[in-house]
Amino acid sequence: MILLVFDFDHTIVDGNTDVKILDVLKSRNVTPCKYDPSTGWTEYMKNIFYECERNGVTQSEMLSTLKELKMTDGMEVLFQTIKEFKDFLKVIVASDSNSWFIDILLLHFDIKDQIDEVYTNPAHWNDNLLELRRYTTNETCCRCPVNMCKAEIVSISRSDDIKCVIYVGDGSNDLCPVLQLSSNDIACPREGYSLTKKMEKFIVDCSVVRWTCATKIASCLDERLQTYA
């Protein structure tokens, strides 16, 4: 069995779901509140959703705005491979976005059935407010944000039947899990994004497959499936 781990923003989806929602406020000539690094991104997005409610942004507007986003190049091919060999794969998403955004787009892209678990910040609608909570409170990992350590998510998902982990990501918060991968595993950082640059400062035990088009990951997965399927 192979564990396939995906980040979401700039990985499965070619863009940032949180930043995309800011377009709704800007279309109303509302200047979004400023990000405060001391409180973290999740708290910032809580404030953004409050601003959306105050300015009359509806659920349907957010929905249509999110659906403007596309899958990254080659990702449809990769998920076709996943669908074909799903019996040999455990597929999870570990993302600092939120559960409502991710669920909407997984359904929109018609790949929800291929995802076994989603680890992210919980979000639900309460009247006209999208309420957001932290996934957890990270008090032990200094590399990761306060609400999530993705290395911990990989660890709890790596059951005894997992022979190989393939980790696909792009951002700074994907570095911690990549550094925990073993020689049997593969890290797939997206070229031109912060994970690739940060990995240059470290010696990693795993194999590294850099990508700009996800068909490269599909080829890599095919090779591993020949070994483990």
Side-chain angles (χ1 to χ4, degrees):
M1 184 75 81
I2 295 173
L3 174 62
L4 192 51
V5 186
F6 287 95
D7 179 37
F8 194 70
D9 291 339
H10 296 297
T11 299
I12 291 178
V13 61
D14 196 16
N16 185 305
T17 48
D18 287 340
V19 172
K20 183 66 176 174
I21 289 300
L22 299 182
D23 291 346
V24 183
L25 287 175
K26 292 174 183 175
S27 71
R28 283 171 157 73
N29 296 316
V30 175
T31 302
C33 59
K34 292 184 178 179
Y35 171 57
D36 181 357
S38 68
T39 58
W41 186 259
T42 307
E43 295 302 313
Y44 172 68
M45 288 308 300
K46 279 186 185 180
N47 292 330
I48 291 296
F49 295 148
Y50 280 120
E51 286 195 22
C52 286
E53 182 195 30
R54 285 194 295 269
N55 286 279
V57 176
T58 65
Q59 181 173 342
S60 62
E61 282 180 277
M62 284 199 190
L63 184 68
S64 59
T65 300
L66 286 170
K67 287 183 177 180
E68 292 173 3
L69 292 165
K70 309 295 183 185
M71 296 181 83
T72 51
D73 190 23
M75 198 58 66
E76 291 182 14
V77 174
L78 174 55
F79 272 91
Q80 188 57 46
T81 301
I82 291 169
K83 185 176 182 179
E84 185 178 351
F85 294 98
K86 187 62 183 68
D87 289 346
F88 305 100
L89 301 170
K90 180 178 181 181
V91 184
I92 69 170
V93 171
S95 168
D96 201 15
S97 180
N98 69 71
S99 57
W100 189 74
F101 285 4
I102 292 173
D103 194 55
I104 288 297
L105 287 175
L106 292 180
L107 285 168
H108 179 60
F109 297 147
D110 196 25
I111 58 173
K112 184 176 172 62
D113 290 346
Q114 296 166 51
I115 305 296
D116 295 299
E117 296 284 349
V118 175
Y119 299 89
T120 189
N121 304 299
H124 72 278
W125 285 93
N126 184 358
D127 292 329
N128 294 318
L129 173 64
L130 183 59
E131 293 187 339
L132 180 67
R133 293 186 292 111
R134 290 179 180 177
Y135 166 72
T136 189
T137 299
N138 168 33
E139 297 177 336
T140 57
C141 181
C142 60
R143 284 198 183 96
C144 292
V146 68
N147 64 305
M148 179 178 292
C149 173
K150 292 189 179 183
E152 182 178 304
I153 291 170
V154 174
S155 178
I156 63 176
S157 302
R158 191 168 193 159
S159 50
D160 291 341
D161 59 340
I162 299 297
K163 306 303 182 186
C164 169
V165 176
I166 300 177
Y167 191 98
V168 187
D170 72 280
S172 299
N173 63 351
D174 296 309
L175 178 64
C176 185
V178 165
L179 295 179
Q180 303 300 316
L181 297 179
S182 68
S183 58
N184 225 27
D185 303 328
I186 305 171
C188 300
R190 189 177 181 186
E191 286 277 20
Y193 288 78
S194 57
L195 177 59
T196 301
K197 297 172 185 175
K198 288 184 177 292
M199 284 177 62
E200 292 172 355
K201 301 176 182 178
F202 295 89
I203 297 173
V204 296
D205 293 330
C206 62
S207 301
V208 178
V209 176
R210 295 175 175 83
W211 62 282
T212 54
C213 177
T215 54
K216 189 170 184 180
I217 306 169
S219 297
C220 171
L221 179 58
D222 275 333
E223 291 177 6
R224 284 303 169 107
L225 283 166
Q226 291 176 22
T227 303
Y228 296 111

